[in-house]
Amino acid sequence: MRQQRQNVSTAVNELAKAVPVAQAIAQLHEAIRRSPASNFWPVIRETKGVLFVRSTDSDQEFPWPWRRTKSGNMSYKLPGYLLFSPWSPNFHRMLLSCMVGLQQVMADINDPESKSDFSVTHLPYGIWSAMLRPKHLIPEIQLFQRFAMPDSIAALDRWSNEPQGGSNIALRISQGALVYNDRSDRCEIKIPEALTKPLFVPSTPDRPLELHLVRVGGRSYYP
């Protein structure tokens, strides 16, 4: 169990680094929700996160991640499109909950003698369970980060210099800002720099840890 101390400490540090990212996601989401850009939500829901781009040259081969549809349009699955949702996950609260759980596990590892035999017996599983949460949470946050990554920026830039595909909405990312225009409304929303901060998924044991407790006197052995 003590060998896991460093892994638990690393997981806490990685979660702490994700807190500014979570705050940036919430800030950007709230700005979108309060702006005309929220009109883009129905478009994303209707297409299940796929942007359709009208092809200008049927013979031209577009590089990845573009691909041609049967109708001759180009389709692109927008990474981080879940950001365009009226209900964004509360990543900040999830991160704090994970960190509290890991800090409690760290305290138990440092002082197992203060725990009952029952608690110590279940501590290895508690370590594995607590470290499994950030392993799943960090990738979820990274999905929202991808909204402002180069491939998404390329998609929005390509899709929306002018309204296309039967839509009157123009949407792009330009100079660190989300630019929305639907002819009647226009807005620019600054993308926080913290949104693109690199995050790493902490390593976890491949399976729950096993504990063999040997007792002197009384009951001789607990597997």
Side-chain angles (χ1 to χ4, degrees):
M1 288 188 291
R2 289 191 174 97
Q3 290 175 352
Q4 296 297 323
R5 182 187 289 110
Q6 182 58 43
N7 289 336
V8 174
S9 177
T10 300
V12 172
N13 291 336
E14 292 301 329
L15 289 174
K17 293 177 183 177
V19 170
V21 178
Q23 293 173 336
I25 291 173
Q27 177 185 346
L28 179 59
H29 181 273
E30 182 65 15
I32 292 174
R33 191 177 71 84
R34 295 180 177 274
S35 75
S38 62
N39 295 331
F40 190 60
W41 281 330
V43 176
I44 284 293
R45 285 199 296 268
E46 182 179 350
T47 63
K48 294 181 171 55
V50 178
L51 303 179
F52 292 98
V53 184
R54 185 173 300 165
S55 175
T56 57
D57 185 352
S58 59
D59 296 327
Q60 183 179 357
E61 290 297 329
F62 288 86
W64 183 92
W66 303 93
R67 64 180 179 85
R68 192 175 303 284
T69 64
K70 292 181 179 179
S71 62
N73 290 342
M74 309 306 297
S75 69
Y76 175 81
K77 190 170 181 63
L78 176 63
Y81 73 88
L82 290 175
L83 187 64
F84 285 98
S85 168
W87 312 110
S88 177
N90 192 334
F91 288 125
H92 188 264
R93 183 175 62 185
M94 296 177 187
L95 287 167
L96 292 181
S97 175
C98 281
M99 283 192 284
V100 169
L102 287 169
Q103 289 166 348
Q104 181 60 55
V105 164
M106 179 71 80
D108 294 341
I109 292 174
N110 290 333
D111 188 20
E113 290 79 9
S114 66
K115 299 296 178 182
S116 66
D117 292 342
F118 179 83
S119 299
V120 172
T121 303
H122 287 79
L123 182 53
Y125 179 81
I127 295 172
W128 177 77
S129 178
M131 293 180 64
L132 197 61
R133 291 183 65 192
K135 183 177 181 179
H136 295 301
L137 179 57
I138 294 296
E140 290 182 25
I141 297 175
Q142 289 173 329
L143 283 177
F144 278 69
Q145 279 188 287
R146 292 180 64 191
F147 172 82
M149 295 303 179
D151 50 356
S152 291
I153 293 175
L156 292 177
D157 185 62
R158 191 70 175 275
W159 184 67
S160 61
N161 282 328
E162 297 292 339
Q164 300 181 42
S167 170
N168 65 341
I169 293 176
L171 184 74
R172 65 178 300 178
I173 296 178
S174 177
Q175 297 180 349
L178 175 68
V179 182
Y180 172 89
N181 188 0
D182 63 6
R183 295 180 183 174
S184 60
D185 289 305
R186 185 183 185 281
C187 67
E188 292 188 14
I189 302 173
K190 183 179 179 181
I191 299 176
E193 294 183 5
L195 188 64
T196 58
K197 183 177 181 178
L199 299 179
F200 300 95
V201 180
S203 60
T204 61
D206 295 333
R207 56 189 174 82
L209 304 172
E210 296 179 357
L211 172 66
H212 293 274
L213 177 62
V214 178
R215 180 187 295 273
V216 178
R219 299 176 185 177
S220 58
Y221 181 74
Y222 286 91

